[in-house]
Each structure stands twice: as structure tokens, then as C-alpha cells.
Amino acid sequence: MAANSSTGSATEPPGLETQWREIDNLSQQQLRAGDSWYLLDKRWYDQWKEYVHAGDQNSSSYPGKIDNTELYEDLDSYHLKERLSENEDFVLVPAEAWHKLLSWYDMMDNQPPLERKVVDLPSTVKVEVYPVEIYLCLSSNMESTVSACFSRADKIHAIHQKIRQHFNVSETAESRLWMRSTDTSSERLRNLNMTVLDACLSSGMTVIMEIRNADGTWPTSRPQIMRNSADEDSYRGPPGVCGLTNLGNTCFMNSALQCLSNTPPLTEYFLRNSYLEELNFTNPLGMKGEIAEAYADVIKQMWSGRHYSVVPRVFKTKVGHFASQFLGYQQHDSQELLSFLLDGLHEDLNRVKKKEYIELRDADGRPDQEVAEEAWRNHLRRNDSVIVDTFHGLFKSTLVCPECNKVSVTFDPFCYLSVPLPVSKERVMEVFYVSLDPTAKPTQYRLIVPKAGQVIDLCTALSQATGVPPNQMAVADVFNHRFYRIYQADESLSCILDRDDIFVYQLSSGCVDQEGEEVVMAIYMRERSHYRDYGSGSNSYSTSLFGHPLLISVPRAQCTREDLYQLLLKRLARYVRPLDPSEEVEEEEEEDEEELYKAQTNGVSDDEGEEDSEEAGPSKKEEETQESGQAEEQNNCQSEASPSSEGEERAEEEESSSEPDRGSSTEEGQSASGSTDTNSQDATDGDQSTGVEPSGKEEEDEDEEEEEEEEAASCAQANKRLPGRRRYTERQKKALFTIQAVNSNGTTERGMGEADGGFSFSSQPYIAIDWDPDMKKKYYNENEAEKYIKHQSMDVPHQQITVQLQECIELFTTVETLEEENPWYCPTCKKHQLATKKLDLWSLPEVLIIHLKRFSYTKYSREKLDTIVEFPLRDLDFSGFLLKKTVNSTEPPCRYDLISVSNHYGGLRDGHYTSYARNKDNGQWYYFDDSKVTYAREEQIVTSAAYLLFYQRQDKIRQPTVPPPVPSSSQPENHVSSQTHDGMDGASSCVSMETD
């Protein structure tokens, strides 16, 4: 079942249940620093789980060799792809489990094992999937670099020693290190005992060693690689108009920081140094003032007017230290970072040094005004800071018991409003429809289906466009030239992601299930190599998938090689050129027995040259006379006695032909056209002789009849009486390809032949069409095979939903029923109840943050809502939403103006964050994209990417203290040309449309 491993012979695997139990138990063990864990391709692992759970050693889900191909960027360097996600792209298994799987299934040739170490990081222990790859060089020759990988738990001292060793720097030479993150930004690495993680070193950065000169000076007293170069010392720009360098997937942090930086009351609080008197070093819920100090450093740099971009490295380190979820350089949610930061700043700046215990009381029928004032006083007794002053408001929560109608009213503080977006009940899906007409190209359709629908709903929508009944359609997810999944009609559409390539195949009528008169076959296209791979312990040909797979329905009575071959020829007629009549029959061939012997002993012969002892087809038998039939029988006997004769004939043929045709072997032709296979079997290699690819693992087919075995025996006896030189003639059909039953991945061949020359299937059948490279090049039109047409539905632009911000706020205040996972304990019923809940706004803060809940997570689906929310830049009036009505004219109005927006471009797994903000000093709007800053116009601000909205109450907004700059057509003075995006190719195009 498993081929020999490069590390040794594969052991016989235990039973499937035992395999699952052993691997599952080992995978439950805890992470320990220093242990080794291994990355395993998620698709292979899922295939293995399906196989062991099937409980059938001959199941079609047999996974084959461990294959991590999809995890590599390329197969030359075996460099791991970026941004792979655990449990989506790969799984982690401990070393013992890995070695067991390796011994049972072996691994694809030349692939290195993906071993990773467990590291002990602050607040967590985790497997370090991506070690830090750093470039090392000397300041005297910065063009000559060498890359080296380090753990985040390594000390900077390890990097220092590595540079010394590689560049032969004497231990007595005095040196210092510089860390360069961009072409214009570098910082000194002063503390060699700091870890790589704490130094915020990330892959791609360069560490430079500078060696002191003999005269005691440094080569660069003010090195150009330093951030604070002479050019920047002379820079003067508008305060606050400053970019933030992307440290590696930190755009989410930069976006949130820019919004807070342009929140006037908070920024002025730090610029006045008011925070120094209010730092709380003893708060057990705080961070000993470190977050507040790190944030203050960033704000002071950004508002000094001396930098066009600031590197928030220390701040990033502090955030990761106190919130382990932000460790490393993965993409995160800007709202989650903002929530942590506001809470951290509040606790670090909390004026309450010792929090008292307060027992909360229910309203019990008291007036709302009284209960609200009591709740706010109690809140301030424990929480009093600039964050509370600026961002905290109060809302009323009303719960009603569905059984006893008990009403519970409480007033709770909030720091931001997370408002829902209206969710459409429909979904737009794009599919490729493959018709039964072999001359028709696949057609791409755009369909509108129910979001909570099933696959049959997708077929119904497509049926309306094509006229084909839904029960004659099969839906499949095509990935990497194979079927990743074939869907059943009753499966939920939530299983299908927008990024999946969905193909819908038209099937003939009557193929409803596998038990019916017709069977649905999955057809893969494979190309085999010219030569066999004997080094892997097998003498089979290696194959690779190509092109688009097919789903076809075939009557069970026609599951013979002859019928399948003819059916597939018709099905592929659009891009497969048929054989000319002159090419279908091979000519007379002559061989010398002595030459045959030499070819056989020199290893020229292989199973590709073996010949069948039967004639090509029934039509040939009707045409030939009895004498020719006897001559054919004699020649076939010679063929069986010397299976290498075909190989030598082809060798001579190739020498005399300008176009060598490797696909013309007699063995391939007869097997594909349905002739009975009677090829002899080479005793030295044990290949099966079924007219299909020998795999080296499968048993010999059992489809030869008794009379053929007797004939083969008589031929062997006749061969003993043949003279030293002989002549024979053979006329056979030639085929374009061979057919092989395979597993669902198209990687492992299965011997499923029966005595009548047909196939039998116990589960979903997968068939591979195997092409010889030369035959494929000659007869297969790759350009035509890839063509498709677009239906007119694709030309209809997707209508984005547009809603008003006020609608979202109304949804926030709508009555809802609690979920089963979060019931309310009714004090009257003395049990948990699914009560109705209603939230109402009571009082609003000076700065109101509105979080648009674009990311929707349910038990059945995950999606990002690209709804356009139209929000006003001025005069957002909340008076209609507040329960607390104005008592007198001295209370502040409820009108707000927009001051900043955090944007998110992209989808769930990847994306890019930017921000718009209005400068408090000059009133000008700017667009912040990491270190790049440009002017912005007000009409650019409202987009479908808006994620966080910052509003300031109008009575607190001051008029600009300096006249706004006049934007010109040229680049702004502080523009930085370099720009970083976090795995979102589309972000750059979005940015270019929304900036000057």
C-alpha cells in the first residue's frame, strides 16, 4: 500500500481503526517548548481521515503518498507559501504521529518534511510555522548578503554570532548592529539579549554589522541607513500629517492609530502631557502604564511635524506583549485592536486607584432618569479616565421574560456602537455550465440563488437559463485539475465559497443515483512521463493532471473499455483531433530474434511494447480470411513469446520518422478500444497487462478468459520450435489514449477490471484518460480546451446594496430574541429563558465610534458584507434615537460631524486597511495608506470599504487654527512613494481610485 520511503522501507500499516486511534491520541498532546511538530497538507489529511473512517482498505479515498505540494510556493526551493492558515491549509501533527504516517504511506519524492519547533512566547506556547528569515551583511559591502533563519525566541546575540562566523569577523573586532526594515528606515539594535520577537524583526529585513575603524571612528557617524538622516532632520510638515510604516501585516493597527490620532480631545490630552500625572502603575487590570507610554510616543512623533512617516515598532511590541492574539505578523481586525487599545489606555490612565465592589440594582419600576444616573455614578466610581470622558456613553437594556412577562431594565455603559447591516436573503454565484453537446464550449453564468438554499436551488436557477432540467445536472468544485468535491442536491449552498471554481455538468436523463441504470463517472486528464521511475520502488510511469475534469453519465451495460473509449472520443471532439484512417492501422513489421534478445537484455523493452494476442476488433475478424487469421495467430504467439519486440520496432520507427509517436503502442490501442487483453507479463517487473498504465502496486487484472490462457500456453510451446530468424506481420488499431480507474485524487490507480472487459464500481467511479506526451501534443488542442464563453448574465453589473446609516442604527435598537447559547436567568421563574431584548440609546459621548458589522459569522456561513452604507459627513442627528430627551437648552445638541474612517478592502481571509481623517489643525481631509499620505476630497470618503466611523459632537469641534493647504496636482510634500499591502492585490486599485 505504501511505497518505500527515502528514510527506509515502509512498514505494514495497522488496521484503519487502529491508525485513526493512534494518530488522534497523539495529536491531543500538549505543546512543549523545544518539541518538533510537522505541517501536513489539510487536503491530504482530510482524504486520509475519510479513508480510515470508511473502514475499507480498497476504498477510493485512499490518500496515496503524503503530498505537501499545495503548501509550497514552488518545487525548486520548497519555500513555504505565505499566509497559510492552520486547519484551512494545513494541520499540525506531533513528531511521533508524523513518523507513523510516514512509515505507513511514504512521502512524495524529493519533498522535505516540514518540521517546525514549539517556541515559548510571551503569554503563549505555539508552533512557529514561519521562522524569521533575515538577510545579513556588513556595512562595508551591503550588496553581499546572506539569508539565515532564526526563531522568534532567539536572542539578537545569535544573529550577531552568525554574522561574525559567516563573514569571518574577528571576535576582538568591535561592532554594532543595525536593523533595516525599508530602504530608508533603520534602527540600532542595542540590546543583544533582546529576543527576535521583542525586536520586531520580521522576514525580509536586513541586519547590518558595522565594524569600528582602526582609528576608532565608525564608518558612518550618521549612517544613511539610519531613520533620522539629515534629510529628515530638516523636514517640516503639517503636524499629524504623518504616515505609519507597515511592519508586516500591521495595516490594521496603522488604520486604527490614524483614526485615534485624529481624535482631537485624546490627542491634545497626550500632547499636553496630561497623561504623565494619571499613569496608573498599580491597576491589576492595566499594563503598568506601558501601553499609554508607547501610545504617547507614537502620537508625539506623528504630531511633531518632523517626520513624514513613523515606525511604531515599540508600540507593536507592547501590544503583542500584553495581548498575545496580536503577537507575530498575521492580519487582524482593526476593530479588535481598537477595542483592546481603548480598554488598555483606560486601565493605564484610570484615575480610580482602588476599585470598590458595587452591587448593581434592577430598575424595579423606578423612573429611567433615576436608574440611569445611578448607573453612571456607579460606573464612574470604578472607571474614570480620559477614555471614559471622551468615548463612553450609556444605553438602556430591556429584557422581557416570555413566560412570566417579567421586565428587567438596566443601564450599561458602552465605548462604541456595533451596528448590524441589513443582510440580503439572496446571493450571487458564478458557475461554469458544461453542456452535453461536445461541440459547445463551457458557458459562465451569473445566478441569483437563496443565501440559505441548497445545491438543487442552484441547479433550478441555472435550469431557467439553460432549459435543462435540474435533475440532469451535477455540481462540483474543481480544484487543481481534479474534483475537490462533488455536491449532492440537498447540500447547503453555504458549503460553496465565492472563491471556489464551480462547474455544473449536464447529464443524460435517468442518472439519478448510483443504483440506477446509469452511473456518473468523474473523468480526469493525465499526462504521463516518457520514462518510468524505477527509483521509487516502482516501475510505473509518473503522471500529472491537466485540463478540466468531466462528469459524464454512462449506462452500466456500456462500462467497457471499447464503449468508454468511443464515448470519450465523442465527448472530447471539440479539442481532440481524431485519428486519420491512414493512422488507425499499423504496417507490417519485421524483427530479428537476436536483436529482440539484445533489446530485452539491454532494458530497452518495457510494458509499453507488449502486444495483445487478440485482433483489434470484431470488424477485423469479418474482413480477414481464415488463412490470414491463422497467420495472425502465429504472429501473436511470437509476440507473446517476445514481449520486447514492440519496443525494438518502435525504436527503429522513431529513427526513421520525423515525428516520433509514443502513443501508437499496440498495447495502448487495444486496451483503450475495448479489445480483450492477453499481453504477456514480464516476469522481471511484475507489471499488470491490462492495456492501461502499470502502477507497480496493483495486482494483475483478471479479465483474461480461459481460452486465451490456453492459447498463450500453446504459443509458448510454438516459440520453442521457431528458427533463429523469423518474420511476422501484425495489423492493429491505434488509440489516442488509455483508460485507467483511479482514486478521487487521480493519483493512485485501482485495478477494477472484470472478466467481460468492463469496469465495476463499489463507490463513486473516477477514471483517468492517460495521454502519452507526444500523442497529447499532436492530437490535443490545449488552447481550444481552455476556451469558454460568457453568458449575457455576466455582463449585468452586480448591484451593490446601499443603505443609510440611520437604518443600521434602527436595526441596532430593534427587539430581538436571545439565542439558545446565551439565555437570560429570570429571577421570577428561577430558570434561564430566551427573553426578548431591546437596546436603546440613553446618552452619547463626545466622540462616538460606530462599528459597521461587515463580518458575519454564523454556525453555517462566514462572509463579508460589501453593502454601501451612506453616512453623512456633517450633521448626523441622533435626537430621534435618544430616549433621554433634552431637559433644558443648556444640554449639548445631538448633532455630530465625521472626523475619521477606517476602511477595509478585501475578503475574510485577506485584505488591506486604510483610513481617512480630518486634520484638527487645518480641517483638511487626508488619506492614510500605511506610510503613504495623500490629500482626499470629501466625495471620496463614503465607500463600501468603510468599517469604523468616528464622529465628534459639533459643540466640541474647534475651528481650524491654521489655514488649510491648497492641494495641487503634484504629489503632497509628505508623500512617500513606497507602499505596503497585506495580501490584497485589489487594494492598490481601490486606493488609486480614491486618492488624488
Side-chain angles (χ1 to χ4, degrees), residues 353-614:
K353 306 302 180 182
K354 185 177 181 181
K355 296 187 178 184
E356 58 181 305
Y357 173 76
I358 298 174
E359 185 174 352
L360 300 179
R361 297 169 54 197
D362 194 69
D364 287 332
R366 292 182 293 162
D368 285 349
Q369 183 75 24
E370 177 185 340
V371 179
E373 291 176 355
E374 178 185 80
W376 187 250
R377 285 196 305 269
N378 289 338
H379 180 59
L380 293 180
R381 287 164 63 184
R382 293 175 56 86
N383 304 279
D384 183 17
S385 69
V386 65
I387 303 300
V388 175
D389 298 340
T390 308
F391 298 101
H392 282 207
L394 203 64
F395 59 68
K396 176 185 177 183
S397 175
T398 305
L399 290 168
V400 179
C401 178
E403 188 171 318
C404 68
N405 293 323
K406 160 71 176 177
V407 178
S408 173
V409 176
T410 58
F411 286 82
D412 304 302
F414 67 86
C415 191
Y416 51 84
L417 294 181
S418 289
V419 299
L421 274 61
V423 179
S424 172
K425 295 182 179 180
E426 293 181 335
R427 174 184 177 187
V428 176
M429 296 186 66
E430 295 181 2
V431 300
F432 292 92
Y433 172 69
V434 182
S435 169
L436 269 179
D437 182 2
T439 63
K441 299 181 181 69
T443 305
Q444 188 180 21
Y445 287 86
R446 179 175 289 160
L447 308 171
I448 298 178
V449 297
K451 182 172 292 187
Q454 297 179 329
V455 172
I456 188 63
D457 296 315
L458 172 65
C459 296
T460 301
L462 185 58
S463 175
Q464 295 174 359
T466 62
V468 177
N471 63 349
Q472 293 182 26
M473 295 180 182
V475 181
D477 180 1
V478 175
F479 175 79
N480 202 17
H481 312 296
R482 59 170 63 92
F483 291 116
Y484 179 64
R485 185 170 180 180
I486 299 176
Y487 295 98
Q488 300 298 319
D490 58 353
E491 290 191 74
S492 173
L493 286 176
S494 62
C495 300
I496 301 177
L497 305 180
D498 289 337
R499 66 174 182 269
D500 293 340
D501 292 324
I502 301 301
F503 282 71
V504 181
Y505 299 87
Q506 180 188 1
L507 305 176
S508 59
S509 60
C511 50
V512 270
D513 54 48
Q514 295 182 0
E515 303 301 324
E517 293 298 323
E518 299 196 8
V519 59
V520 179
M521 285 188 175
I523 308 297
Y524 291 158
M525 309 290 283
R526 298 198 306 185
E527 180 178 3
R528 33 173 239 197
S529 63
H530 282 289
Y531 307 103
R532 294 180 180 175
D533 183 11
Y534 292 92
S536 63
S538 166
N539 58 359
S540 62
Y541 294 94
S542 61
T543 58
S544 59
L545 295 173
F546 70 93
H548 296 299
L550 291 172
L551 279 177
I552 62 173
S553 55
V554 183
R556 289 185 180 273
Q558 296 182 17
C559 288
T560 64
R561 289 187 173 86
E562 168 67 24
D563 292 334
L564 285 179
Y565 180 76
Q566 298 300 331
L567 176 64
L568 292 173
L569 275 183
K570 295 178 182 178
R571 195 70 176 82
L572 307 176
R574 182 170 60 87
Y575 45 89
V576 173
R577 182 174 69 84
L579 289 166
D580 294 332
S582 60
E583 298 175 302
E584 290 185 352
V585 180
E586 295 183 346
E587 299 298 329
E588 291 186 357
E589 298 181 87
E590 180 178 325
E591 282 300 336
D592 186 289
E593 185 178 24
E594 183 177 353
E595 293 298 318
L596 293 177
Y597 175 78
K598 290 179 180 179
Q600 197 172 22
T601 55
N602 289 334
V604 175
S605 171
D606 55 27
D607 280 0
E608 193 174 346
E610 295 178 0
E611 298 173 52
D612 293 3
S613 61
E614 286 276 335

Side-chain angles (χ1 to χ4, degrees), residues 87 99 130 174 199 205 225 242 307 386 482 501 506 555 615 646 657 762 787 847 890 892 903 958:
N87 296 324
H99 290 303
Y130 290 98
E174 188 177 353
M205 290 185 178
I225 61 172
C242 177
H307 307 286
V386 65
R482 59 170 63 92
D501 292 324
Q506 180 188 1
E615 297 169 5
E646 175 82 19
S657 172
S762 59
K787 288 182 179 179
V847 175
T890 60
N903 305 300
R958 295 184 308 175

Side-chain angles (χ1 to χ4, degrees), residues 266-281 289-300 345 348-351 353 386:
L266 184 64
T267 295
E268 290 169 359
Y269 170 85
F270 281 96
L271 294 180
R272 294 194 307 265
N273 291 330
S274 300
Y275 73 99
L276 294 175
E277 299 177 358
E278 297 183 347
L279 285 172
N280 191 332
F281 298 103
E290 294 185 30
I291 286 293
E293 288 181 326
Y295 178 77
D297 290 342
V298 173
I299 293 300
K300 288 184 176 182
L345 290 175
D348 271 3
L349 300 169
N350 199 340
R351 302 173 186 119
K353 306 302 180 182
V386 65

Side-chain angles (χ1 to χ4, degrees), residues 176 178 210 213 217-224 226 228:
R176 60 183 183 182
W178 297 90
E210 184 181 17
N213 296 324
T217 63
W218 292 102
T220 50
S221 57
R222 293 185 62 82
Q224 294 180 357
M226 291 180 61
N228 294 320

Side-chain angles (χ1 to χ4, degrees), residues 164 169-176 210-213 218:
R164 284 188 179 275
V169 177
S170 171
E171 289 291 335
T172 59
E174 188 177 353
S175 61
R176 60 183 183 182
E210 184 181 17
I211 303 172
R212 189 184 292 273
N213 296 324
W218 292 102

Side-chain angles (χ1 to χ4, degrees), residues 772-840:
D772 180 278
D774 293 329
M775 293 292 283
K776 175 175 175 284
K777 181 178 180 181
K778 187 174 181 182
Y779 295 99
Y780 185 90
N781 188 334
E782 289 192 77
N783 290 333
E784 182 64 29
E786 295 295 325
K787 288 182 179 179
Y788 69 99
I789 58 179
K790 289 188 176 182
H791 186 257
Q792 60 186 12
S793 60
M794 296 296 297
D795 298 328
V796 179
H798 177 48
Q799 296 288 335
Q800 277 193 307
I801 302 174
T802 302
V803 299
Q804 300 296 318
L805 178 60
Q806 288 83 346
E807 296 179 54
C808 301
I809 299 173
E810 288 176 0
L811 276 177
F812 176 78
T813 58
T814 301
V815 176
E816 63 177 358
T817 302
L818 297 179
E819 298 179 350
E820 294 183 0
E821 295 81 6
N822 188 29
W824 170 66
Y825 183 80
C826 177
T828 303
C829 298
K830 304 297 183 182
K831 62 180 180 179
H832 288 89
Q833 299 281 12
L834 298 182
T836 59
K837 180 179 182 180
K838 188 178 190 303
L839 294 177
D840 292 291

